[in-house]
Amino acid sequence: MPSSTGPSIDTITEGGRVTQVGEGQEAEETAPPVMTFGAPTAGELLAERYELVEHINNDSAGRLVWRGVDVVLRRPVAVILRYPGGDSATEMLQAAVAASRVIHPNLVGVYDAIDEADRAYVVREWVDGQSLRELVTADGPLDPARATAIGSAVASALAAVHATGMVHGNVHPGTVMISDDGRVVLADARTDGKDSQENDVRAIGGVLYFALTGYWPHGEAPLHGATAGHGRAAIPDAVRDAGGAIAAPRQVRAGVPAYLDDLTMDLLDTQIAPPSSDVLSAELSRLDVPAEDQFLEPAGPLRFTADAGEVPSPLAAAGGRKVALGIAGLLAVALVGLLVGISVLSGDDKKGTDTKQVAGPSSSAPATDGSTPPAAPAQKLNIQDVRIIDPDSRDRAEVRNAEKVMDGDEDKGWETQTYNSADFSHFKSGMGIWIDLGAPHSVKTVQAVLSATGVTAQLFAGTKDDFDSNSAGDKNLVASYKKTPIGQAYEKHNGTKMIFDAFDPEQKYQYLLFWITELPQKDSGSGYKVGVQEITVTGS
């Protein structure tokens, strides 16, 4: 009787179809000979359930790859057969069992693993599509938004794998699959004891580099040992300088945002400790905003600002949400001017024809008596962009809804998750709200309206010189802003409004960071949490 041991992961593409195979890519012309004693035939029924329909190819390990049908559930499957079974198939079957324990939309589904002594086979999900390697080879490098989306999916899959204590060990463009309906799937876990979760995370840097440039950053040896430049598995080596260092994606092609360039190169730099997969997943998920939503999502990534020499993205060219806010700002200025005009005309009526009383000193006309002209009155400043900053993020849901702190409705705001203690359950040093005023301004006050009392928070400010919004991640952003505190921090504030007004009148500010370090206890007494209902900035 066949022995069923559970399931696994592996994949490859052939003729535009993703078919599950041993090493996540097409068979080489020099694939080892296949032992076919008792080889299956089309129409054969395995384990009284899996009907073999079509032999697709053989992977580079000599395993047979078939398209089949689960006759019980009536769904297509991929069947990977190895000859013989028994002890020689132990590694494959164990990998199948381990992979079956992780169910995630970005991982290939594994259904069954069976040992029949003379042969063993694993039954997996059949996915129509192609590998990232094939996609980029055929169509060229991907746009930054799509590369980010793929990196986000891979990181999410790895976070699920790592949460079980497992390691994937085989992340590269051949094991990243894109289905015809746009789903990104990671396949072919091949852990051999030398791999680590850290290496898995670093491998995402290689995937991003390849997606953005079409080159492989790990030397000339192509995937799975094929001769460089030979065979369908070969990937061109990265462009390198005289010292052998690879060129950054932005040096290879125009239009790669600085933030994505820095993230990719940091992941590839063995001198920099990478984040955990769940933290990287949260960051890439936050950055993975569909292009059509960029006009509507004020809390999205600052990734569409083109530096000199770059080809601006469609959003940068159109101006996106900032154009709309800019128009709104002009309308607001026009309205203020109209109100001032009405006020002046009203004053004329009361004062008669004595124009000397109307044409007194103003900010636009210098005083003739030697007195100092009065400062321009403070008014509410337009917030161009807002984003939740969470350097130690573990939950993407907590960085959503940033736009609610600037919608004018104090009944609706952004809020933290519920924690077991005031210090975010020791999970993080704090989190906050980052604000971009669009351009440097003289800031008079910043007011934050909170949902509860007992909050400890501080305000920090910066200029363009302090913070490159295109490249700094959340950790760098917080480190940068803590150099410029505005006034004193509120310690367990006994009110629901915090007002910061200790701004240098000689200094102009574009970026602000409202940083929360201690949460209040909920009225119910079950946990700690706070909401930021509205933030208002005044100045000129």
Side-chain angles (χ1 to χ4, degrees):
M1 288 292 292
S3 61
S4 179
T5 58
S8 163
I9 279 188
D10 296 355
T11 323
I12 180 174
T13 63
E14 177 79 10
R17 280 180 316 210
V18 172
T19 65
Q20 327 310 321
V21 298
E23 299 192 352
Q25 57 185 26
E26 300 171 57
E28 294 296 316
E29 291 85 342
T30 57
V34 179
M35 300 297 295
T36 58
F37 174 74
T41 58
E44 181 176 350
L45 196 64
L46 304 182
E48 301 180 351
R49 178 170 183 171
Y50 306 110
E51 180 183 353
L52 299 178
V53 176
E54 178 186 8
H55 176 224
I56 302 303
N57 56 24
N58 301 328
D59 71 14
S60 58
R63 299 183 298 183
L64 284 68
V65 182
W66 280 75
R67 178 169 61 88
V69 174
D70 181 339
V71 298
V72 176
L73 298 179
R74 304 305 304 170
R75 64 181 175 184
V77 295
V79 182
I80 295 84
L81 298 102
R82 176 188 176 90
Y83 292 84
D87 292 342
S88 64
T90 298
E91 182 180 351
M92 180 184 81
L93 296 175
Q94 287 180 342
V97 172
S100 69
R101 296 171 183 162
V102 187
I103 299 175
H104 190 276
N106 299 120
L107 287 171
V108 167
V110 181
Y111 305 143
D112 212 347
I114 296 173
D115 185 11
E116 294 181 347
D118 61 325
R119 67 183 177 186
Y121 47 92
V122 174
V123 181
R124 307 185 185 106
E125 175 185 8
W126 177 276
V127 185
D128 288 318
Q130 60 185 149
S131 70
L132 175 63
R133 176 177 56 82
E134 288 185 325
L135 178 65
V136 173
T137 300
D139 300 335
L142 307 182
D143 65 81
R146 193 173 188 192
T148 301
I150 290 173
S152 174
V154 174
S156 181
L158 286 178
V161 171
H162 293 173
T164 68
M166 293 165 48
V167 176
H168 187 278
N170 195 26
V171 180
H172 58 73
T175 56
V176 177
M177 307 296 169
I178 298 89
S179 70
D180 291 340
D181 62 2
R183 175 185 169 210
V184 179
V185 186
L186 180 61
D188 190 25
R190 307 280 288 181
T191 303
D192 62 5
K194 300 178 182 179
D195 301 302
S196 66
Q197 293 187 356
E198 179 177 312
N199 287 341
D200 277 351
V201 174
R202 291 195 186 282
I204 297 177
V207 168
L208 288 172
Y209 192 95
F210 177 73
L212 291 168
T213 67
Y215 295 96
W216 187 237
H218 298 305
E220 294 183 356
L223 302 179
H224 300 295
T227 303
H230 173 72
R232 289 172 289 174
I235 293 179
D237 181 30
V239 177
R240 299 174 183 273
D241 63 20
I246 63 172
R250 297 181 81 189
Q251 296 174 301
V252 177
R253 60 177 290 211
V256 178
Y259 85 90
L260 192 54
D261 185 272
D262 288 345
L263 174 61
T264 300
M265 296 303 288
D266 284 351
L267 289 172
L268 293 173
D269 189 344
T270 57
Q271 301 302 311
I272 299 176
S276 61
S277 56
D278 55 349
V279 170
L280 179 59
S281 174
E283 176 64 7
L284 285 170
S285 294
R286 182 180 65 76
L287 297 173
D288 177 20
V289 180
E292 62 271 20
D293 291 345
Q294 289 293 338
F295 294 91
L296 306 175
E297 176 57 73
L302 301 176
R303 60 182 182 185
F304 290 106
T305 302
D307 291 344
E310 286 189 332
V311 177
S313 74
L315 181 62
R321 183 173 178 277
K322 294 188 177 183
V323 169
L325 289 175
I327 294 173
L330 293 175
L331 292 175
V333 171
L335 179 59
V336 170
L338 177 60
L339 292 176
V340 171
I342 293 174
S343 175
V344 171
L345 291 176
S346 176
D348 286 347
D349 291 339
K350 292 181 180 180
K351 300 179 183 298
T353 58
D354 187 0
T355 56
K356 293 182 180 180
Q357 298 183 49
V358 177
S362 69
S363 59
S364 59
T368 57
D369 58 0
S371 62
T372 302
Q379 58 183 323
K380 182 177 178 180
L381 298 177
N382 288 320
I383 295 177
Q384 298 289 307
D385 201 1
V386 62
R387 164 176 128 200
I388 304 303
I389 299 300
D390 192 1
D392 305 304
S393 175
R394 304 179 70 88
D395 187 347
R396 171 157 164 67
E398 201 169 15
V399 300
R400 295 172 178 158
N401 301 319
E403 70 279 2
K404 291 184 177 180
V405 306
M406 51 174 279
D407 62 1
D409 186 352
E410 294 186 4
D411 293 329
K412 298 178 182 178
W414 164 80
E415 60 183 13
T416 68
Q417 302 283 37
T418 299
Y419 292 85
N420 293 326
S421 61
D423 60 353
F424 295 91
S425 299
H426 308 293
F427 288 149
K428 56 187 75 175
S429 60
M431 61 188 307
I433 299 171
W434 175 88
I435 292 170
D436 178 9
L437 298 176
H441 286 272
S442 295
V443 178
K444 182 71 173 177
T445 65
V446 173
Q447 174 181 281
V449 179
L450 309 173
S451 64
T453 62
V455 179
T456 296
Q458 173 66 298
L459 186 75
F460 302 96
T463 65
K464 188 66 174 177
D465 293 334
D466 298 324
F467 170 58
D468 179 356
S469 63
N470 259 346
S471 63
D474 282 5
K475 288 183 182 293
N476 290 336
L477 186 153
V478 172
S480 173
Y481 272 67
K482 286 193 174 181
K483 298 175 183 176
T484 317
I486 302 299
Q488 299 296 314
Y490 282 87
E491 301 285 347
K492 298 182 179 178
H493 185 45
N494 60 5
T496 57
K497 288 186 179 179
M498 292 184 179
I499 299 178
F500 302 89
D501 57 7
F503 289 89
D504 183 350
E506 303 299 321
Q507 177 69 54
K508 291 185 180 294
Y509 306 89
Q510 179 172 346
Y511 305 106
L512 304 168
L513 177 64
F514 180 67
W515 185 245
I516 302 170
T517 54
E518 194 166 346
L519 303 172
Q521 190 169 27
K522 294 166 62 176
D523 292 339
S524 64
S526 58
Y528 296 77
K529 147 181 222 181
V530 74
V532 179
Q533 307 303 105
E534 195 74 15
I535 292 182
T536 305
V537 183
T538 68
S540 59

